[in-house]
Amino acid sequence: MFFGLEWYWWLVILAVLAILIPFKVRFMKWWSRRELEKREQNGKWGDEE
């Protein structure tokens, strides 16, 4: 088939992507929220750490 892979490998690849993409989106939302909280926390009292 495409790129020399059998049809069942394409099903495996699609299944893995279908599982990983929502986790990546959730991680990116969590990461941006975490960074925003860190920036707000540092901004209150200056850059003292």
Side-chain angles (χ1 to χ4, degrees), residues 2 4 7-9 13 16-17 20-22 24-26 32-33 36 38 46 49:
F2 300 108
W7 63 270
Y8 50 85
W9 285 114
I13 291 169
V16 168
L17 288 176
L20 289 181
I21 288 174
K24 181 181 180 193
V25 169
R26 192 174 304 153
S32 64
R33 210 175 320 121
L36 183 63
K38 282 174 79 177
E49 291 193 64

Side-chain angles (χ1 to χ4, degrees), residues 5-32:
L5 294 177
E6 295 293 332
W7 63 270
Y8 50 85
W9 285 114
W10 288 109
L11 289 178
V12 170
I13 291 169
L14 288 175
V16 168
L17 288 176
I19 292 169
L20 289 181
I21 288 174
F23 281 109
K24 181 181 180 193
V25 169
R26 192 174 304 153
F27 174 77
M28 293 300 289
K29 286 181 182 178
W30 172 80
W31 187 263
S32 64

Side-chain angles (χ1 to χ4, degrees), residues 30-45:
W30 172 80
W31 187 263
S32 64
R33 210 175 320 121
R34 179 178 171 269
E35 289 295 314
L36 183 63
E37 289 172 1
K38 282 174 79 177
R39 260 187 268 130
E40 288 176 354
Q41 193 175 30
N42 284 345
K44 288 180 183 174
W45 307 104

